[in-house]
Amino acid sequence: MEATRTFAIYTLGCKLNYSESSAIAQSLMEQGFNKVSFKEKADVYIINTCSVTNEADKECRMVVRNTLNTSPEAFIAVIGCYAQLKPQEIAKIEGVNIVLGASEKFNIANYLNTVNKNQFAEVHSCEIEQPLEFHSSYSSGDRTRSFLKVQDGCDYNCSYCTIPLARGKSRSNTIENVIKNVYEIASKGVREIVLTGVNLGDFGIQPGSDKHTETFFELVQELEKVKASVRFRISSIEPNLLTDDIIKFISNSEKFVPHFHIPLQSGSDSILKKMRRRYLTELYTERVSLIKSLMPHCCIGADVITGFPGETEENFLETYSFLNELDVSYLHAFTYSERSNTPAAEDKEIVPVDVRKKRTRMLRILSEKKLHQFYTQNLGQEREVLFEGHKIPDTPQKGSGDGWQYGHTDNYVRVRIPSDEILKNSMYRVRLNTINAEGTVDGEIVNQFDNSLSNHQIYQLSN
């Protein structure tokens, strides 16, 4: 292998994919490859795919085409969920040279050293029923925030979902290894760690087992003890796995921020049953009510799917009314798309695509109203803000200096302050004043948090 070989990686989909892309990139660099931007000329282009919707599949094809337009001789490797689900389909895409499945993607360097650019793509994909290892990974490159993978796979069988087919059975890292990862991340200067997984609340099953040896609540309790200047955010957790104990603990936490993202998918119990979800709206309401009783300014996000087979207008209006009355802060609304090898795809009660999209638009408008309402409730408060970036406005405004500094509060309000200083990766207490025209909140600094530890101090604490 030539030490000067270059690679670029493009990530589609979820936070989990971003953490895995970083781990794969790190392993390639350790074996002599040089990483470059995906816009630059490279010897190898890697596309880490998602396959939650048909749009993700189409986006993969588009990235392949765009890569060939700029680098006709490029060696292209496709990995990730789409690669595991439909490897032969991807192999037929012009320009693709190798397709790697769920396990093989973590050994990509071995394949790149032995595979040549041929007319037909090579496919290496495991049987997803086989026991899979857990590959520890976290995103890097952004000193402000890191996505830490602690769990993978899923044992649930929602009728619309291909993720169990793409990622296999539920399996997790150990709490001990997660803590080690946290100290590694913190030593790089990262101030916020987002815990990610396919079914995060199911944390604790070791690879090859079907029983929990640890729990997500135990993980949360141990992370609270970490002696590093980081805060933790939970990416997404199923309502039936978000227990009273977890909610109560986080309400008194000094490390975990008041922000939950809780998938709902439908506000109609009859549709939830067809989806094979493991809860009904009553339980979801109970989760939200408990959170808000303990943390009134907690941010709560929800996922919703529109146009699921059999979703009548009455079912959709049930969902709309349920969400309209529920004290959630924002919605991620998705238009249902048929996925091969799922029970829902066989359902004959098909909702027309234009109706699905109309319902999605309605929920996204509702989400904007919810978010504005949530931001309004937070005005006048002083919140902890981690600044993430700097933006120069198109039209300079009085008092804005060189532009705006942007960040998120602990409870996920996007804030900006006028400043010509570079505050990225700094934590400040900020008073939230007004909602501006771009939909963020204008704030002013009250004081800075000076509680950061040096990399040397973090290393000492972790050993």
PDB file of all heavy atoms in Angstrom, residues 206-223:
ATOM      1  N   GLN A 206     -24.852  -7.563  25.336  1.00  0.00           N
ATOM      2  CA  GLN A 206     -23.540  -7.789  24.744  1.00  0.00           C
ATOM      3  C   GLN A 206     -23.661  -8.622  23.467  1.00  0.00           C
ATOM      4  O   GLN A 206     -24.578  -9.447  23.331  1.00  0.00           O
ATOM      5  CB  GLN A 206     -22.624  -8.491  25.749  1.00  0.00           C
ATOM      6  CG  GLN A 206     -22.233  -7.623  26.929  1.00  0.00           C
ATOM      7  CD  GLN A 206     -21.554  -6.339  26.477  1.00  0.00           C
ATOM      8  OE1 GLN A 206     -20.501  -6.380  25.856  1.00  0.00           O
ATOM      9  NE2 GLN A 206     -22.160  -5.198  26.774  1.00  0.00           N
ATOM     10  N   PRO A 207     -22.760  -8.411  22.496  1.00  0.00           N
ATOM     11  CA  PRO A 207     -22.808  -9.161  21.230  1.00  0.00           C
ATOM     12  C   PRO A 207     -22.858 -10.659  21.460  1.00  0.00           C
ATOM     13  O   PRO A 207     -22.119 -11.207  22.295  1.00  0.00           O
ATOM     14  CB  PRO A 207     -21.500  -8.752  20.544  1.00  0.00           C
ATOM     15  CG  PRO A 207     -21.179  -7.408  21.108  1.00  0.00           C
ATOM     16  CD  PRO A 207     -21.639  -7.445  22.529  1.00  0.00           C
ATOM     17  N   GLY A 208     -23.765 -11.335  20.752  1.00  0.00           N
ATOM     18  CA  GLY A 208     -23.913 -12.778  20.878  1.00  0.00           C
ATOM     19  C   GLY A 208     -24.838 -13.211  21.984  1.00  0.00           C
ATOM     20  O   GLY A 208     -25.130 -14.402  22.130  1.00  0.00           O
ATOM     21  N   SER A 209     -25.329 -12.247  22.778  1.00  0.00           N
ATOM     22  CA  SER A 209     -26.246 -12.565  23.878  1.00  0.00           C
ATOM     23  C   SER A 209     -27.635 -12.047  23.532  1.00  0.00           C
ATOM     24  O   SER A 209     -27.821 -11.304  22.580  1.00  0.00           O
ATOM     25  CB  SER A 209     -25.749 -11.922  25.175  1.00  0.00           C
ATOM     26  OG  SER A 209     -26.699 -12.089  26.211  1.00  0.00           O
ATOM     27  N   ASP A 210     -28.623 -12.456  24.309  1.00  0.00           N
ATOM     28  CA  ASP A 210     -29.965 -11.916  24.130  1.00  0.00           C
ATOM     29  C   ASP A 210     -30.510 -11.369  25.438  1.00  0.00           C
ATOM     30  O   ASP A 210     -31.701 -11.112  25.572  1.00  0.00           O
ATOM     31  CB  ASP A 210     -30.917 -12.974  23.554  1.00  0.00           C
ATOM     32  CG  ASP A 210     -31.012 -14.224  24.446  1.00  0.00           C
ATOM     33  OD1 ASP A 210     -30.315 -14.269  25.475  1.00  0.00           O
ATOM     34  OD2 ASP A 210     -31.782 -15.133  24.088  1.00  0.00           O
ATOM     35  N   LYS A 211     -29.618 -11.185  26.427  1.00  0.00           N
ATOM     36  CA  LYS A 211     -30.044 -10.683  27.724  1.00  0.00           C
ATOM     37  C   LYS A 211     -29.230  -9.448  28.112  1.00  0.00           C
ATOM     38  O   LYS A 211     -28.064  -9.318  27.741  1.00  0.00           O
ATOM     39  CB  LYS A 211     -29.880 -11.769  28.802  1.00  0.00           C
ATOM     40  CG  LYS A 211     -30.786 -12.977  28.594  1.00  0.00           C
ATOM     41  CD  LYS A 211     -30.597 -13.999  29.707  1.00  0.00           C
ATOM     42  CE  LYS A 211     -31.512 -15.201  29.493  1.00  0.00           C
ATOM     43  NZ  LYS A 211     -31.343 -16.228  30.556  1.00  0.00           N
ATOM     44  N   HIS A 212     -29.859  -8.580  28.886  1.00  0.00           N
ATOM     45  CA  HIS A 212     -29.184  -7.378  29.359  1.00  0.00           C
ATOM     46  C   HIS A 212     -28.251  -7.710  30.527  1.00  0.00           C
ATOM     47  O   HIS A 212     -28.674  -8.329  31.501  1.00  0.00           O
ATOM     48  CB  HIS A 212     -30.197  -6.328  29.818  1.00  0.00           C
ATOM     49  CG  HIS A 212     -30.947  -5.684  28.699  1.00  0.00           C
ATOM     50  ND1 HIS A 212     -32.031  -6.269  28.097  1.00  0.00           N
ATOM     51  CD2 HIS A 212     -30.742  -4.494  28.063  1.00  0.00           C
ATOM     52  CE1 HIS A 212     -32.477  -5.473  27.138  1.00  0.00           C
ATOM     53  NE2 HIS A 212     -31.714  -4.398  27.094  1.00  0.00           N
ATOM     54  N   THR A 213     -27.004  -7.316  30.401  1.00  0.00           N
ATOM     55  CA  THR A 213     -26.079  -7.398  31.526  1.00  0.00           C
ATOM     56  C   THR A 213     -25.929  -6.021  32.185  1.00  0.00           C
ATOM     57  O   THR A 213     -25.467  -5.927  33.326  1.00  0.00           O
ATOM     58  CB  THR A 213     -24.693  -7.882  31.062  1.00  0.00           C
ATOM     59  OG1 THR A 213     -24.196  -7.007  30.036  1.00  0.00           O
ATOM     60  CG2 THR A 213     -24.791  -9.301  30.504  1.00  0.00           C
ATOM     61  N   GLU A 214     -26.306  -4.965  31.462  1.00  0.00           N
ATOM     62  CA  GLU A 214     -26.315  -3.599  31.969  1.00  0.00           C
ATOM     63  C   GLU A 214     -27.548  -2.906  31.416  1.00  0.00           C
ATOM     64  O   GLU A 214     -28.233  -3.452  30.540  1.00  0.00           O
ATOM     65  CB  GLU A 214     -25.038  -2.847  31.547  1.00  0.00           C
ATOM     66  CG  GLU A 214     -23.763  -3.478  32.093  1.00  0.00           C
ATOM     67  CD  GLU A 214     -22.502  -2.836  31.538  1.00  0.00           C
ATOM     68  OE1 GLU A 214     -22.482  -2.521  30.332  1.00  0.00           O
ATOM     69  OE2 GLU A 214     -21.526  -2.676  32.296  1.00  0.00           O
ATOM     70  N   THR A 215     -27.862  -1.726  31.909  1.00  0.00           N
ATOM     71  CA  THR A 215     -29.033  -1.000  31.428  1.00  0.00           C
ATOM     72  C   THR A 215     -28.662   0.429  31.062  1.00  0.00           C
ATOM     73  O   THR A 215     -27.618   0.946  31.480  1.00  0.00           O
ATOM     74  CB  THR A 215     -30.150  -0.949  32.491  1.00  0.00           C
ATOM     75  OG1 THR A 215     -29.708  -0.128  33.589  1.00  0.00           O
ATOM     76  CG2 THR A 215     -30.515  -2.340  32.984  1.00  0.00           C
ATOM     77  N   PHE A 216     -29.541   1.068  30.309  1.00  0.00           N
ATOM     78  CA  PHE A 216     -29.303   2.452  29.924  1.00  0.00           C
ATOM     79  C   PHE A 216     -29.318   3.364  31.152  1.00  0.00           C
ATOM     80  O   PHE A 216     -28.526   4.317  31.241  1.00  0.00           O
ATOM     81  CB  PHE A 216     -30.358   2.911  28.904  1.00  0.00           C
ATOM     82  CG  PHE A 216     -30.096   4.297  28.379  1.00  0.00           C
ATOM     83  CD1 PHE A 216     -28.985   4.561  27.606  1.00  0.00           C
ATOM     84  CD2 PHE A 216     -30.966   5.337  28.666  1.00  0.00           C
ATOM     85  CE1 PHE A 216     -28.731   5.843  27.130  1.00  0.00           C
ATOM     86  CE2 PHE A 216     -30.734   6.616  28.193  1.00  0.00           C
ATOM     87  CZ  PHE A 216     -29.614   6.867  27.421  1.00  0.00           C
ATOM     88  N   PHE A 217     -30.188   3.072  32.103  1.00  0.00           N
ATOM     89  CA  PHE A 217     -30.229   3.874  33.318  1.00  0.00           C
ATOM     90  C   PHE A 217     -28.905   3.784  34.078  1.00  0.00           C
ATOM     91  O   PHE A 217     -28.391   4.773  34.601  1.00  0.00           O
ATOM     92  CB  PHE A 217     -31.392   3.435  34.204  1.00  0.00           C
ATOM     93  CG  PHE A 217     -31.547   4.240  35.466  1.00  0.00           C
ATOM     94  CD1 PHE A 217     -31.426   5.632  35.458  1.00  0.00           C
ATOM     95  CD2 PHE A 217     -31.809   3.618  36.675  1.00  0.00           C
ATOM     96  CE1 PHE A 217     -31.566   6.374  36.629  1.00  0.00           C
ATOM     97  CE2 PHE A 217     -31.952   4.351  37.853  1.00  0.00           C
ATOM     98  CZ  PHE A 217     -31.822   5.732  37.822  1.00  0.00           C
ATOM     99  N   GLU A 218     -28.328   2.575  34.121  1.00  0.00           N
ATOM    100  CA  GLU A 218     -27.022   2.414  34.774  1.00  0.00           C
ATOM    101  C   GLU A 218     -25.950   3.208  34.045  1.00  0.00           C
ATOM    102  O   GLU A 218     -25.066   3.814  34.679  1.00  0.00           O
ATOM    103  CB  GLU A 218     -26.648   0.929  34.838  1.00  0.00           C
ATOM    104  CG  GLU A 218     -27.515   0.126  35.806  1.00  0.00           C
ATOM    105  CD  GLU A 218     -27.301  -1.373  35.691  1.00  0.00           C
ATOM    106  OE1 GLU A 218     -26.705  -1.813  34.682  1.00  0.00           O
ATOM    107  OE2 GLU A 218     -27.753  -2.108  36.595  1.00  0.00           O
ATOM    108  N   LEU A 219     -26.026   3.230  32.718  1.00  0.00           N
ATOM    109  CA  LEU A 219     -25.072   4.030  31.932  1.00  0.00           C
ATOM    110  C   LEU A 219     -25.199   5.510  32.268  1.00  0.00           C
ATOM    111  O   LEU A 219     -24.196   6.199  32.493  1.00  0.00           O
ATOM    112  CB  LEU A 219     -25.309   3.802  30.442  1.00  0.00           C
ATOM    113  CG  LEU A 219     -24.487   4.687  29.493  1.00  0.00           C
ATOM    114  CD1 LEU A 219     -22.995   4.417  29.645  1.00  0.00           C
ATOM    115  CD2 LEU A 219     -24.936   4.480  28.046  1.00  0.00           C
ATOM    116  N   VAL A 220     -26.425   5.999  32.310  1.00  0.00           N
ATOM    117  CA  VAL A 220     -26.669   7.401  32.643  1.00  0.00           C
ATOM    118  C   VAL A 220     -26.094   7.746  34.023  1.00  0.00           C
ATOM    119  O   VAL A 220     -25.447   8.785  34.203  1.00  0.00           O
ATOM    120  CB  VAL A 220     -28.191   7.701  32.593  1.00  0.00           C
ATOM    121  CG1 VAL A 220     -28.502   9.055  33.226  1.00  0.00           C
ATOM    122  CG2 VAL A 220     -28.690   7.670  31.152  1.00  0.00           C
ATOM    123  N   GLN A 221     -26.311   6.874  34.980  1.00  0.00           N
ATOM    124  CA  GLN A 221     -25.811   7.112  36.339  1.00  0.00           C
ATOM    125  C   GLN A 221     -24.287   7.183  36.372  1.00  0.00           C
ATOM    126  O   GLN A 221     -23.701   8.015  37.082  1.00  0.00           O
ATOM    127  CB  GLN A 221     -26.307   6.010  37.273  1.00  0.00           C
ATOM    128  CG  GLN A 221     -27.790   6.065  37.565  1.00  0.00           C
ATOM    129  CD  GLN A 221     -28.273   4.867  38.370  1.00  0.00           C
ATOM    130  OE1 GLN A 221     -28.137   3.712  37.953  1.00  0.00           O
ATOM    131  NE2 GLN A 221     -28.805   5.134  39.542  1.00  0.00           N
ATOM    132  N   GLU A 222     -23.620   6.325  35.604  1.00  0.00           N
ATOM    133  CA  GLU A 222     -22.157   6.324  35.589  1.00  0.00           C
ATOM    134  C   GLU A 222     -21.599   7.540  34.842  1.00  0.00           C
ATOM    135  O   GLU A 222     -20.566   8.096  35.234  1.00  0.00           O
ATOM    136  CB  GLU A 222     -21.633   5.031  34.952  1.00  0.00           C
ATOM    137  CG  GLU A 222     -21.861   3.791  35.801  1.00  0.00           C
ATOM    138  CD  GLU A 222     -21.261   3.926  37.199  1.00  0.00           C
ATOM    139  OE1 GLU A 222     -20.071   4.302  37.298  1.00  0.00           O
ATOM    140  OE2 GLU A 222     -21.994   3.674  38.183  1.00  0.00           O
ATOM    141  N   LEU A 223     -22.275   7.957  33.789  1.00  0.00           N
ATOM    142  CA  LEU A 223     -21.815   9.136  33.042  1.00  0.00           C
ATOM    143  C   LEU A 223     -21.921  10.401  33.891  1.00  0.00           C
ATOM    144  O   LEU A 223     -21.144  11.346  33.707  1.00  0.00           O
ATOM    145  CB  LEU A 223     -22.621   9.287  31.751  1.00  0.00           C
ATOM    146  CG  LEU A 223     -22.335   8.244  30.669  1.00  0.00           C
ATOM    147  CD1 LEU A 223     -23.300   8.416  29.492  1.00  0.00           C
ATOM    148  CD2 LEU A 223     -20.896   8.342  30.177  1.00  0.00           C
TER     149      LEU A 223
END
